[in-house]
Amino acid sequence: MDTEILESTQIQEAADFLAKGQLVAFPTETVYGLGADATRPDVVKDVYAAKGRPSDNPLIVHVSSPEMVWEYADTSYKPLAEKLMKAFWPGPLTIIMPIQPGKLSKAVTGGLTTAAFRMPNNKATLNLIKTFGKPIVGPSANTSGKPSPTLAKHVYHDLHGKIAAILDDGPTKLGVESTVIDLSVEIPTVLRPGMIDSDDLLKVIDNVNSDHHKVTANEVPKAPGMKYKHYAPSAQVIIVDDVKDFKQAVTEYIAKDVPMGVMATDEILKEVPANIETFSLGNDVLSASRELFAGLRQLDNDHVQYILAQGFSDEGHGAAYSNRLNKSAGNTHYKN
Ligand code: TXA
Ligand code: MG
């Protein structure tokens, strides 16, 4: 199959593919998603196959309005969920709630009694869902285990030939996936950190448990997707936490005479010798979050064996960046 690249205005073409039971990658403010009719188990199964994703890992149901959610979710969660929807939708917050029995297939929920809902902040995609008239599932549109796509060309690289089309709306604005909050437990719990941090959430709801996503070795993670190896290039990523160590780390790795790459802010890259392959993370944790996945993809090439990557504080908006970088590095940190 040829994969068509559609412009962000070609909404009807994209909706027609979905109506035919085909897969269409769509833009969001976080990363590109892999869209399919959420009400058809047969096409949802194709999503898992295209990504090579384990089938016990449930998918996010993307909607174009809060009303669409209440056709599927347990309406007793309305009072709490609507506070979050009012404050953060459309936007990078995914809300997990129990569903009305039988309303979503096992292919979507992975057999759980809950489902994840999100209304993304992207005009083209909101139009697409509205035009299609039904919610669409949307895992990140990458091969399972690889960094999430922040450009249409990343999607094309991983999935061309396997999906009907990509709705191209340029680079995504945030670059890390949505915050996932689970409302089905006694204290609302953040299962995956994103750009909406716990301080933002606490302005709207009284109580949030946000340490849960720091999964230790023996713990069973609550979001099934958090247990798999993620965002990992073939090169070994090494996190340099303290900017003061960077020069020394680079010197040490140059001395090892192994092919390496450096991913850091411009301030640090100024000091890196010109023959070293580099990738700019811009100048702060926001630009670094936006660029992280593109950097991991670019430096994941034959001439790089190690990637030295700049760490940031995991407070507030840094939580998402740190979480994703740690996963890509298998928690490997530079020690001087
Ligand atoms: O920003 C995003 O959320 C992007 C864009 C495309 O919307 N989507 C995305 O989807 O990151 P995905 O499938 O790559 O990640 C969804 C995460 C997974 O870790 C999955 O296990 C978890 O949400 N999840 C989904 N449904 C769940 C449920 N019912 N209970 C617990 N975790 C759930
Ligand atoms: Mg993903």
Side-chain angles (χ1 to χ4, degrees):
M1 158 195 322
D2 274 343
T3 298
E4 252 186 76
I5 310 283
L6 301 174
E7 285 175 34
S8 61
T9 49
Q10 293 181 279
I11 302 300
Q12 192 59 54
E13 285 88 335
D16 289 345
F17 279 125
L18 291 173
K20 280 186 281 187
Q22 293 186 300
L23 309 186
V24 178
F26 59 91
T28 79
E29 76 280 40
T30 58
V31 301
Y32 276 80
L34 180 52
D37 185 341
T39 67
R40 279 182 58 180
D42 56 328
V43 300
V44 174
K45 284 193 181 119
D46 293 341
V47 170
Y48 287 90
K51 278 182 61 90
R53 176 174 172 122
S55 62
D56 68 341
N57 190 0
L59 303 176
I60 296 175
V61 177
H62 291 73
V63 296
S64 54
S65 69
E67 291 74 55
M68 220 179 224
V69 169
W70 302 115
E71 291 176 33
Y72 304 93
D74 179 340
T75 50
S76 66
Y77 283 78
K78 237 179 174 178
L80 181 59
E82 276 185 340
K83 285 189 192 171
L84 293 168
M85 292 171 179
K86 275 209 182 85
F88 302 113
W89 279 13
L93 182 71
T94 295
I95 304 175
I96 293 175
M97 288 176 281
I99 50 171
Q100 302 168 31
K103 279 292 179 77
L104 285 167
S105 71
K106 209 173 148 184
V108 175
T109 62
L112 300 173
T113 54
T114 55
F117 298 93
R118 152 157 154 79
M119 180 178 172
N121 189 12
N122 177 281
K123 228 169 89 186
T125 289
L126 289 174
N127 264 332
L128 171 62
I129 301 170
K130 214 183 283 166
T131 305
F132 181 53
K134 288 184 275 184
I136 59 177
V137 290
S140 48
N142 51 283
T143 298
S144 198
K146 287 294 165 192
S148 295
T150 55
L151 289 169
K153 76 168 185 197
H154 298 153
V155 181
Y156 192 82
H157 175 270
D158 282 16
L159 299 175
H160 74 89
K162 297 179 175 173
I163 65 176
I166 303 169
L167 190 59
D168 186 355
D169 193 30
T172 60
K173 291 193 177 59
L174 298 177
V176 288
E177 306 88 340
S178 61
T179 305
V180 177
I181 188 167
D182 186 1
L183 300 186
S184 74
V185 287
E186 199 168 304
I187 299 172
T189 297
V190 174
L191 301 183
R192 179 176 73 182
M195 281 305 173
I196 292 174
D197 62 31
S198 40
D199 288 341
D200 298 328
L201 294 166
L202 283 169
K203 286 183 193 133
V204 181
I205 53 177
D206 296 335
N207 214 345
V208 174
N209 178 352
S210 59
D211 286 332
H212 218 73
H213 54 81
K214 290 172 186 154
V215 175
T216 55
N218 300 319
E219 214 179 326
V220 178
K222 187 86 197 303
M226 302 302 271
K227 71 174 179 250
Y228 300 107
K229 194 173 162 166
H230 254 84
Y231 317 115
S234 354
Q236 172 65 54
V237 178
I238 296 148
I239 304 171
V240 183
D241 293 291
D242 191 339
V243 289
K244 293 198 292 297
D245 288 341
F246 227 104
K247 221 169 160 178
Q248 188 185 330
V250 171
T251 311
E252 257 176 52
Y253 275 83
I254 289 175
K256 284 189 205 230
D257 207 22
V258 285
M260 66 166 213
V262 176
M263 208 164 72
T265 48
D266 294 330
E267 193 66 24
I268 285 172
L269 292 186
K270 279 197 302 218
E271 313 262 339
V272 174
N275 60 333
I276 304 290
E277 188 165 347
T278 61
F279 182 89
S280 168
L281 292 175
N283 47 39
D284 59 20
V285 73
L286 286 182
S287 59
S289 304
R290 195 161 59 234
E291 299 299 336
L292 173 65
F293 291 146
L296 290 173
R297 280 176 181 264
Q298 182 170 315
L299 293 177
D300 190 14
N301 58 46
D302 295 343
H303 14 269
V304 173
Q305 198 174 322
Y306 291 99
I307 300 172
L308 294 181
Q310 182 173 350
F312 285 90
S313 152
D314 65 0
E315 299 294 309
H317 285 136
Y321 176 88
S322 298
N323 172 271
R324 307 311 189 272
L325 183 60
N326 259 304
K327 279 173 179 274
S328 76
N331 252 319
T332 309
H333 293 255
Y334 173 75
K335 288 187 189 69
N336 66 2

